[in-house]
Amino acid sequence: MDLLTPSDAERLHPSGLIYLANVMRPKQDIGRWSQALRQWRPPRTPLRVHLENNSLDEHDAAEILQAIGGDVQAGYLHHNNIRSLEPLTPFIEQHWETLKELHLSHNRLSTTETKALLLLLGCTKVSAAGAETAGSCSWLRLEFNHIDVDGLLEQLPSQIKNRLQLGDRGCTPRHCCCQGRRYTKHIHCKFLTEQRTIMPEHKIHHRDQRREPAPSRSRCQDDEETQDNPKTVT
């Protein structure tokens, strides 16, 4: 892979670890890594893909994930700038039977997007033999998004809501300690109740304005705004 330096190539490990955390700041890096991953021959072992801390939006993340061959067991997408899961849906559907962990905390997901994700991960599919099969994902991290948790739970069908495990019972991605685990395949969403300020859907999906320079303001304007709109810590 001529696209990668020797140190870059070490991030694609024969054990199945793809460690691309905090390496794709410029847009050019996304195209370079996508092309390199298409050329890479993955091992037969399940893959663990680390894309955290890259400020990726949903389209950037989808471009990288769709370039990966092999079966993905865990996807680490936390600490990015993902607002919509629609571009990621083909990846999730492709790895529905192998994807056990999906880390999406510290992004910009709304209640509607989270509901769609849980409907996708929590659905059952009928095999050619007529047997119902549940998805593999049992570890889902969604804290610090913009999710109205109470509203989300009200909207979910009971068969999915009953599978959610929100409390911490000592479970890990590799071992479930929940009662009845032999009969119910739980989806662990530990810390789901820890969220950023809930925002209207249209504001979440609006382009991030923080990168644009703010217009110059007088000190009087700042003082007046502070009095009218005291800051809240989120």
Side-chain angles (χ1 to χ4, degrees):
M1 291 181 291
D2 296 336
L3 293 166
L4 303 181
T5 65
S7 60
D8 284 341
E10 291 178 357
R11 294 180 175 273
L12 308 180
H13 202 270
S15 67
L17 174 66
I18 300 175
Y19 194 77
L20 303 181
N22 202 28
V23 297
M24 286 184 282
R25 295 299 181 183
K27 282 284 186 181
Q28 295 88 333
D29 281 342
I30 296 168
R32 181 172 67 91
W33 278 106
S34 296
Q35 190 173 349
L37 285 166
R38 290 189 182 94
Q39 298 175 6
W40 181 57
R41 294 185 62 182
R44 294 184 179 181
T45 56
L47 305 178
R48 305 182 69 82
V49 184
H50 285 263
L51 296 176
E52 64 267 28
N53 291 301
N54 280 309
S55 298
L56 300 175
D57 65 21
E58 54 271 21
H59 301 287
D60 298 333
E63 182 178 344
I64 294 290
L65 292 170
Q66 290 292 80
I68 297 172
D71 295 327
V72 176
Q73 183 182 69
Y76 300 85
L77 296 165
H78 49 289
H79 288 278
N80 279 297
N81 198 30
I82 296 171
R83 289 173 164 80
S84 170
L85 292 172
E86 184 176 355
L88 300 175
T89 298
F91 164 78
I92 296 172
E93 290 179 336
Q94 179 183 351
H95 300 279
W96 188 79
E97 295 182 355
T98 62
L99 187 64
K100 295 182 178 181
E101 298 177 48
L102 188 56
H103 298 253
L104 285 162
S105 69
H106 298 83
N107 277 286
R108 301 289 177 183
L109 296 176
S110 67
T111 307
T112 300
E113 293 294 330
T114 306
K115 176 186 174 183
L117 174 64
L118 287 169
L119 289 175
L120 177 60
L121 294 175
C123 70
T124 57
K125 296 182 179 180
V126 180
S127 67
E132 284 193 353
T133 305
S136 294
C137 189
S138 62
W139 195 263
L140 184 61
R141 295 292 293 269
L142 290 165
E143 66 269 22
F144 294 105
N145 281 280
H146 299 290
I147 303 167
D148 177 359
V149 177
D150 291 336
L152 172 67
L153 296 177
E154 289 177 0
Q155 297 175 40
L156 288 174
S158 58
Q159 62 266 33
I160 294 179
K161 184 163 58 177
N162 292 339
R163 292 180 57 194
L164 293 181
Q165 175 56 49
L166 305 186
D168 185 358
R169 297 189 177 180
C171 303
T172 70
R174 294 171 180 80
H175 180 69
C176 178
C177 302
C178 297
Q179 188 175 9
R181 59 186 178 274
R182 293 180 60 186
Y183 309 101
T184 302
K185 191 169 187 178
H186 291 90
I187 301 175
H188 298 81
C189 292
K190 187 166 66 169
F191 307 129
L192 177 64
T193 55
E194 301 291 330
Q195 294 295 325
R196 292 185 169 121
T197 302
I198 300 171
M199 298 170 61
E201 300 276 340
H202 71 278
K203 287 190 176 182
I204 296 174
H205 292 284
H206 195 272
R207 186 168 62 90
D208 195 352
Q209 300 292 330
R210 292 175 300 170
R211 298 179 183 177
E212 297 184 1
S216 59
R217 301 169 59 88
S218 69
R219 183 171 180 177
C220 292
Q221 285 178 304
D222 290 333
D223 291 343
E224 183 179 5
E225 184 173 292
T226 301
Q227 292 174 1
D228 293 340
N229 301 293
K231 293 182 180 179
T232 57
V233 178
T234 61

